[in-house]
Amino acid sequence: MSYLKACALSELEENTPKRVELDGTPVSIVRAEGEVFAINDICSHANVSLSEGEVEDCMIECWLHGSAFDLRTGKPSGLPATRPVPVYPVKIEGDDVLVSLTQES
């Protein structure tokens, strides 16, 4: 599995999404509940950046219509979104946050 550097761990604030682009793929990096998650940054309901939304209880909410997605699985918690968004494997090496664009879900 190939990993790409997404950002520095020290750049991440708890529950504050950071948008990065990896090989042309928009990804939201989120530090929440003691872990770091990588989720596709585009809402499956509307073409909206998830990193502009809020994070709470390991969920990221789309600011436009209120759908929330689980950072661990990408699954929506309710309407209007019905399709999950991809989540990606993350590993930490020193202060580097590395992401593989191979989907976990």
Side-chain angles (χ1 to χ4, degrees), residues 11-82:
E11 293 175 27
L12 299 176
E13 294 180 35
E14 187 76 12
N15 294 327
T16 302
K18 179 175 181 66
R19 186 183 195 277
V20 299
E21 194 162 308
L22 301 173
D23 281 350
T25 301
V27 178
S28 184
I29 309 295
V30 182
R31 186 180 209 165
E33 299 185 8
E35 294 183 61
V36 177
F37 301 94
I39 187 167
N40 191 283
D41 192 46
I42 304 301
C43 177
S44 63
H45 170 254
N47 191 21
V48 174
S49 174
L50 291 176
S51 63
E52 295 177 23
E54 295 185 12
V55 174
E56 187 175 334
D57 297 328
C58 231
M59 303 288 287
I60 189 168
E61 183 179 62
C62 177
W63 63 269
L64 186 60
H65 295 115
S67 287
F69 299 87
D70 190 307
L71 292 169
R72 297 168 292 241
T73 66
K75 293 180 181 174
S77 64
L79 298 174
T82 58

